[in-house]
Amino acid sequence: MKLKEVQQILDAEVLCGEDCLEREVTTCFACDLISEMLLYVKPQSLLITSLINAHVIHTAQVMDASGVIFVGGKKPDEGVIRNSAMNNVPLLTTPHPIFECCGLLFTNGIEGDKKNPLGRD
Amino acid sequence: MVDSLQYTPQITLEFPIGEKDFFMAGESASRVKKTLQQLGLKQDIIRRVAIIIYEAAMNVAIHASHGLLTVHIDPESISIQTDDKGVGIPDIELAMREGYSTAPYEAQEMGFGAGMGLPNMKQCSDELSLDTKVGKGTTLKAKVYFISKEHPG
Ligand SMILES: Nc1ncnc2c1ncn2[C@@H]1O[C@H](COP(=O)(O)OP(=O)(O)OP(=O)(O)O)[C@@H](O)[C@H]1O
Ligand SMILES: [Mg+2]
């Protein structure tokens, strides 16, 4: 699915990266812990979070995420948005809370990556 | 894409990390990533190195007072090292355990403190070692080989 379709499904506002909306979103990962993002986010996956600090942008950039969705209408400050634009990480904000947000994407065909990186059963 | 850097000179990158300098930790991972991309290394190698740097530098910013991150690129491998002046780690085995964390509230608020950093670094590296003295500081060394047995492909 394209990021543009994700935007429509989630009634999301684009904060930066308008030119990245044609990007393909393969999987999705939702969480509020940086270490877990560094563990689970795969290239081209979409990151859903309620954290709005600069670390989320660094993480998304380092992990080659296709973009970041902030839930519950949250918006990071201008500096974070600018830094993200510079690093080609599109940022979107949706009014939906995290559970609804994941549910909407899941019922529209986006799945998580079930592979367990630490090799547990 | 290349498996080794025969024709590239060795490169050493250094990043001082101050106490609570969380931004620099992420920034160093981001900058090294760009350098490795310019060298044309494989995406998988770049990802693993960037994750190790992020986690290692973040640990210095969160758990120690100040330190230095050194990234050394040679023809066969990338070495990542952090040296910090800090509280040290009293029980390495416990620190390596998934979920164990002494991160302060301030760090938790920003999304750190899952207790997954060290397990994640171990998973991403071919070699990992910790040398630590309580009350003095910690040295962490990690190595990623361009051709690795454990991470083929
Ligand atoms: N450089 C260091 N100096 C002192 N203690 C450290 C250092 N690095 C790690 N530790 C100790 O080891 C514990 C586990 O580290 P680890 O990176 O796995 O988790 P964390 O940093 O607490 O959380 P996360 O990395 O998931 O955000 C830390 O909580 C801390 O007690
Ligand atoms: Mg850590």
Side-chain angles (χ1 to χ4, degrees), chain A residues 11 13 22 46-47 59 65 105 108 121:
Chain A
D11 313 307
E13 176 193 339
E22 290 299 321
L46 183 67
L47 180 56
T59 304
L105 292 181
N108 277 281
D121 294 324

Side-chain angles (χ1 to χ4, degrees), chain A residues 104-115:
Chain A
L104 281 166
L105 292 181
F106 204 88
T107 47
N108 277 281
I110 292 193
E111 288 192 27
D113 189 322
K114 296 186 189 73
K115 210 172 116 213

Side-chain angles (χ1 to χ4, degrees), chain B residues 55 59 63 117:
Chain B
E55 294 284 13
N59 276 358
H63 308 290

Side-chain angles (χ1 to χ4, degrees), chain B residues 103-114:
Chain B
Y105 179 70
E106 180 194 1
Q108 287 174 12
E109 249 185 342
M110 290 186 289
F112 300 101

